[in-house]
Amino acid sequence: MDVRTKPREIGRKSLDVEALKRSFVEWLVYSVGKDLRSATRRDWFATAALAVRDRVVDRWMDTTRAVYAQDAKRVYYLSMEFLVGRLLTNSLANLGIMDACRVAADGIGVRLDDVIEVEPDPALGNGGLGRLAACFLDSMATHHLPGFGYGIRYEYGLFEQRFEHGWQVEYPDNWLRFGNPWEFPRPEVLYPIQFYGRVEEVRDGSGRKSYRWADTEKVFAMAFDTPVVGFGGQTINTLRLWSARATSDFNFGHFNEGDYLKAVEQKVLSENLSRVLYPNDATEVGRELRFKQEYFFTSASIQDVLRRYGQYHSSFDQLPEKAAIQLNDTHPAIGIAELMRLLVDQHGLEWEHAWDITTRTFSYTNHTLLPEALEAWPVRLVERVLPRHMQIIYEVNARFLQRAKRSTGDLARIQRLSLIDEHGDRRVRMGNMAFLGSHKVNGVSALHTDLMKQTVFADLHQEFPDRIVNKTNGITPRRWLHQANPPLARLISSRIGQSWITDLELLADLKPKADDETFQEEFRRAKRQNKKRLAAYIARHVQVDVNVDSLFDVQVKRIHEYKRQLLNLLQTVALYNDIRDNPTKEWVPVTKIFAGKAAPSYQMAKLIIKLINDVATVINQDPVVRGALKVVMLPNYNVTQAEVIMPAADLSEQISTAGMEASGTGNMKLALNGALTIGTLDGANVEIREHVGADNIFIFGLTADEVRELRQGGAFHPREVIATNPRLKRALDMIASGVFSPDDPQRFRPIVESLYNTDHFLVTADFEEYCNTHAAAVELYRDRTGWTRRAILNTASVGWFSADRTVKEYASEIWGVTPVLPGSAEPAEAAPPLPDASREGGSRGDAPKDGGDLEAAE
Ligand code: 26W
């Protein structure tokens, strides 16, 4: 008789209250090593996380086994950033055990809400791009798509922002200090990553030329896996983050002190690769370490993809049928050259064959058109750090340009198509690289996709007219409504049931209730409850007392000139003056709420933060406007803070210069939670208007076409615009003369001067229309019924902006993947190992046999 127990037969951990209680106590005592008396809130967090994690693991293994068993096509989402947010609430909500857990915790004298609050928010991203990656992971798991996230396990996430005398000051985000209960270290999943060295040409017996990358510096990438819990807990996918490890801890050959310390120093240096996230979200940094980070995680991920594929396949022919690799912006675009290198140099494939496999495997998402954000690495840097990749890039380019020259003699066009920018110091255009190496390239909103075709990729689009497609962004309704907004989630479910959580367009069933008085009343009550929560948060963090019945006017996002926090602030100052001029009028009370970080080297953005804080100080202390206007700037905007803000907003500020915000996703979160949008026709605002209807959104300002014409025409003179607008002029004069900075009247000169002289982002051009539109919105707020009706219609109309819809579009139109339901299929047969030419002498010998995928059990 077989006495071994198969994993599948071991009982799953129970989800009931008693079992949870037992689990808590066991974890606390035996793993955390504390008793009930001495346990701190952090101990309880670790305990709860580990107990919940147990409930995830069984299902995680089922998912992994099912995907292996069917040898299903997998999606690999390569992203420098994953802004996942806290995971305890997310796991509890998605597993459906929030209440059971609360009761179990109560039963042993612990308040679950206190425990939830001590979890650090993993800030492994800057903003939109990183949060989108996290929403996609949630949607893929929820809809049973075999999706893997690959990224970097930064030891330090995005800096913590504090205000000191109103200035942004950055502090390190040491998020791993107390350990991370969610991750599974996989010390056996280790890949060598090479840098520098030189390329040797070698010829085999038959005279065939090949290339050897020699004398390299090596570092290892070690995997850490975090389970991604889909809603309902059926499918659990994997987020695999790479951490740098020195290849040998100590060189035992050297025992004298100098060499010993040198060896340790070397170890620290090589492990710097995964030390810290670069805090720039729209300016290319051009630093060698950043480039090495990009290659580091991309190479490890691709090696891992090939290792997994190789277990079941004996040639690479089917790779594009088994793996889709999505490049989240150009940060992992070097992966195209890396896959070519592995296929050609290590596995001996012919160039054309390898290129065909590569382009059918990769696809690329563009997230920004800002010229300063487009990656272009100096050829000299690429040549030095990755010499073989530089050769491959040249070869790709030569073949492509040869083809292009057949259809055009236009030299300027050839130059624009080239992977190499020859102006000034020569650079590799990573956008062009990503485009050429992919079968599909997508924009993140309809407008952005059109602009891609007209601007950065105009020439490439002509060459490959079917390659660019649109995939408008979306957000996960689990985190951004079900989890963050319990009052509204409950109200919705009481009327239309719970299916909206995984099928958000069902919210449309609420539309008939927009005029229903009882529903309106309950909708308002939910909003008020959320506003109270935010008011308490504001009081706790910035000691400002805000009126819960005022209009909560919210602009939360990275601080950037193109996002135009300045436009909002100038209108705030103008409104302040209006109120002071006419203090007895019955003003609709307004609370302006800002939050967002500035890149540490972005001086103008930091000065804007200081200005917001200084304006807030003056306005909030002025007895004349008390009750009518308050200004709040919350420090350290992150996912956790957003979860408090989004549900409490009445008005959503989406006021970027048209043509500059690729999509925006905060706009979707706010509308879903019943805020009305005031915004320009930019990014996804355009589509939000189509969905909610022009009557339920406040649109103003220049269109993208008008912005282009105005800038090109040379007829825009901000000084003249300011001269003709007394409210604007007065606001600027006040800022310029030190009304908000009596201690340093000159402080805000750079801001005022840039508006007078260039105003690149057309703040002055849109000011008047913005003010009028804002006034109309505030006026509408007096009409409680009219406002609530529109708020309900917003929630009911934005179901299309679910990341579930987005991810399903990618799945069918780009990735070619279909859902895999954890069940019992027969395992696919393992293939003989891939022919491994191992031309690089032994580097593949380091690759793990067991990829830590939990599949080995079966
Ligand atoms: C190399 C420096 C750098 C780093 C990050 C340049 C650019 C980036 C990102 C592409 C910036 C980003 O997060 N873009 C945002 O992506 C969101 C998701 O698609 C969009 O909703 C936002 O509009 C876009 O700004």
Side-chain angles (χ1 to χ4, degrees), residues 75-109:
V75 182
Y76 297 106
Y77 199 82
L78 266 58
S79 178
M80 277 294 262
E81 309 189 1
F82 285 93
L83 256 184
V84 293
R86 284 178 175 164
L87 293 178
L88 182 54
T89 29
N90 188 242
S91 310
L92 293 174
N94 282 7
L95 289 173
I97 57 170
M98 185 70 84
D99 292 339
C101 222
R102 186 162 278 126
V103 176
D106 270 343
I108 44 179

Side-chain angles (χ1 to χ4, degrees), residues 326-434:
Q326 185 69 37
L327 303 173
N328 199 22
D329 217 283
T330 54
H331 316 150
I334 191 68
I336 290 163
E338 174 71 352
L339 182 59
M340 285 300 287
R341 184 183 73 86
L342 293 172
L343 294 179
V344 173
D345 293 357
Q346 284 209 10
H347 296 283
L349 269 65
E350 292 298 333
W351 182 277
E352 289 79 9
H353 188 198
W355 186 245
D356 176 63
I357 290 172
T358 299
T359 51
R360 288 197 291 130
T361 302
F362 280 100
S363 45
Y364 153 57
T365 306
N366 173 279
H367 294 269
T368 181
L369 300 174
L370 293 185
E372 68 269 30
L374 299 177
E375 288 192 300
W377 293 104
V379 166
R380 283 165 42 116
L381 174 85
V382 181
E383 214 159 52
R384 191 161 48 79
V385 179
L386 301 176
R388 178 60 185 137
H389 296 76
M390 193 62 238
Q391 291 182 340
I392 291 171
I393 292 168
Y394 277 139
E395 181 69 25
V396 169
N397 199 36
R399 288 169 185 251
F400 169 57
L401 293 184
Q402 209 165 35
R403 183 199 115 141
K405 280 177 193 156
R406 283 202 290 268
S407 57
T408 178
D410 180 348
L411 202 69
R413 180 175 159 79
I414 295 292
Q415 280 182 3
R416 291 193 302 268
L417 286 169
S418 175
L419 296 186
I420 311 294
D421 182 350
E422 308 275 356
H423 303 93
D425 59 337
R426 304 171 66 237
R427 285 165 183 265
V428 182
R429 293 171 172 145
M430 300 308 281
N432 288 24
M433 179 80 209

Side-chain angles (χ1 to χ4, degrees), residues 81 126-133 136 278-286 290 294 328-331 365-370 372-375 377 443-445 448 471 473 558 562-563 660-668 683-684 810:
E81 309 189 1
N126 272 288
L129 162 137
R131 183 55 232 176
L132 186 75
F136 282 6
Y278 275 89
N280 299 54
D281 86 325
T283 31
E284 204 250 307
V285 276
R290 163 77 181 199
E294 296 185 351
N328 199 22
D329 217 283
T330 54
H331 316 150
T365 306
N366 173 279
H367 294 269
T368 181
L369 300 174
L370 293 185
E372 68 269 30
L374 299 177
E375 288 192 300
W377 293 104
V444 291
S445 73
H448 167 66
K471 293 286 160 275
N473 283 167
R558 284 298 283 252
Y562 86 79
K563 293 177 188 280
M660 309 215 67
E661 188 69 270
S663 163
T665 46
N667 47 2
M668 301 168 190
Y810 277 90

Side-chain angles (χ1 to χ4, degrees), residues 457-753:
F457 296 126
D459 297 290
L460 283 162
H461 174 55
Q462 265 189 26
E463 293 290 315
F464 306 95
D466 300 328
R467 196 162 290 186
I468 298 182
V469 294
N470 175 235
K471 293 286 160 275
T472 299
N473 283 167
I475 57 169
T476 169
R478 270 72 64 187
R479 186 174 288 267
W480 297 110
L481 182 51
H482 180 249
Q483 224 178 288
N485 195 344
L488 183 57
R490 269 194 298 271
L491 172 62
I492 294 170
S493 299
S494 77
R495 303 301 154 93
I496 65 170
Q498 293 224 336
S499 305
W500 62 269
I501 300 172
T502 53
D503 186 359
L504 201 63
E505 294 196 58
L506 290 176
L507 291 183
D509 292 348
L510 294 171
K511 284 182 187 172
K513 305 202 183 315
D515 288 304
D516 170 337
E517 261 179 53
T518 323
F519 189 76
Q520 282 205 349
E521 189 53 45
E522 290 183 52
F523 194 91
R524 265 196 302 272
R525 205 178 304 148
K527 180 62 77 181
R528 197 160 196 286
Q529 214 176 317
N530 294 321
K531 289 172 76 173
K532 274 179 147 172
R533 178 171 65 152
L534 177 56
Y537 182 97
I538 290 170
R540 185 161 72 246
H541 288 91
V542 292
Q543 290 77 45
V544 177
D545 180 28
V546 302
N547 173 3
V548 177
D549 295 312
S550 64
L551 184 157
F552 279 19
D553 178 343
V554 167
Q555 186 172 21
V556 292
K557 47 183 81 241
R558 284 298 283 252
I559 311 296
H560 202 292
E561 288 164 281
Y562 86 79
K563 293 177 188 280
R564 298 201 295 191
Q565 280 91 358
L566 265 181
L567 178 58
N568 185 348
L569 198 67
L570 286 170
Q571 185 272 338
T572 305
V573 173
L575 176 62
Y576 172 57
N577 291 330
D578 295 345
I579 299 170
R580 297 220 313 162
D581 291 347
N582 196 353
T584 55
K585 187 182 152 186
E586 276 217 22
W587 295 96
V588 174
V590 171
T591 303
K592 291 263 185 176
I593 298 166
F594 295 87
K597 295 178 183 179
S601 61
Y602 190 172
Q603 293 308 324
M604 187 57 98
K606 290 175 115 174
L607 194 58
I608 292 171
I609 290 178
K610 173 63 173 160
L611 178 58
I612 299 174
N613 277 319
D614 282 357
V615 167
T617 303
V618 169
I619 292 181
N620 296 345
Q621 280 171 2
D622 189 336
V624 179
V625 300
R626 194 202 326 257
L629 181 60
K630 284 273 163 73
V631 181
V632 171
M633 170 90 194
L634 285 167
N636 204 36
Y637 184 58
N638 60 14
V639 173
T640 301
Q641 186 181 97
E643 288 169 8
V644 183
I645 297 175
M646 300 300 174
D650 294 307
L651 190 62
S652 159
E653 300 272 355
Q654 308 300 335
I655 59 179
S656 50
T657 313
M660 309 215 67
E661 188 69 270
S663 163
T665 46
N667 47 2
M668 301 168 190
K669 291 163 199 167
L670 286 157
L672 180 62
N673 283 279
L676 273 58
T677 302
I678 179 166
T680 48
L681 283 176
D682 198 15
N685 296 351
V686 176
E687 291 150 272
I688 291 177
R689 180 178 68 163
E690 283 162 16
H691 280 84
V692 304
D695 291 345
N696 303 309
I697 187 167
F698 303 100
I699 296 293
F700 71 93
L702 298 166
T703 62
D705 286 340
E706 289 165 349
V707 165
R708 188 175 27 79
E709 282 163 25
L710 194 58
R711 279 181 177 167
Q712 283 172 359
F716 173 57
H717 304 295
R719 197 169 291 276
E720 288 166 18
V721 178
I722 296 166
T724 59
N725 189 322
R727 286 176 80 245
L728 174 58
K729 177 155 193 318
R730 184 173 167 198
L732 284 170
D733 285 349
M734 287 166 73
I735 293 168
S737 66
V739 170
F740 302 104
S741 54
D743 55 325
D744 178 7
Q746 300 296 307
R747 179 176 296 143
F748 300 115
R749 278 271 132 172
I751 291 180
V752 177
E753 273 166 18

Side-chain angles (χ1 to χ4, degrees), residues 74-236:
R74 297 163 170 94
V75 182
Y76 297 106
Y77 199 82
L78 266 58
S79 178
M80 277 294 262
E81 309 189 1
F82 285 93
L83 256 184
V84 293
R86 284 178 175 164
L87 293 178
L88 182 54
T89 29
N90 188 242
S91 310
L92 293 174
N94 282 7
L95 289 173
I97 57 170
M98 185 70 84
D99 292 339
C101 222
R102 186 162 278 126
V103 176
D106 270 343
I108 44 179
V110 175
R111 273 198 40 186
L112 184 61
D113 290 329
D114 293 343
V115 174
I116 285 169
E117 286 305 313
V118 299
E119 178 172 4
D121 182 338
L124 309 187
N126 272 288
L129 162 137
R131 183 55 232 176
L132 186 75
C135 282
F136 282 6
L137 291 184
D138 181 277
S139 286
M140 288 192 281
T142 295
H143 293 281
H144 315 292
L145 294 169
F148 287 68
Y150 275 119
I152 297 177
R153 180 180 177 273
Y154 300 104
E155 200 173 314
Y156 293 87
L158 186 62
F159 64 87
E160 181 195 334
Q161 178 197 55
R162 294 191 206 161
F163 298 143
E164 295 179 7
H165 308 291
W167 295 99
Q168 167 174 298
V169 179
E170 301 93 21
Y171 287 84
D173 167 53
N174 190 2
W175 71 292
L176 292 167
R177 185 173 36 213
F178 299 103
N180 173 11
W182 301 113
E183 67 186 9
F184 289 81
R186 307 283 189 210
E188 76 284 10
V189 185
L190 213 57
Y191 293 98
I193 313 294
Q194 297 170 278
F195 295 104
Y196 309 109
R198 60 198 171 76
V199 181
E200 283 174 358
E201 246 183 62
V202 285
R203 284 186 194 274
D204 64 14
S206 57
R208 187 176 179 275
K209 222 196 305 181
S210 64
Y211 297 88
R212 227 175 70 88
W213 185 13
D215 299 337
T216 54
E217 281 179 25
K218 246 193 231 174
V219 66
F220 279 123
M222 173 183 155
F224 285 75
D225 289 347
T226 301
V228 178
V229 182
F231 188 78
Q234 257 198 73
T235 292
I236 317 278

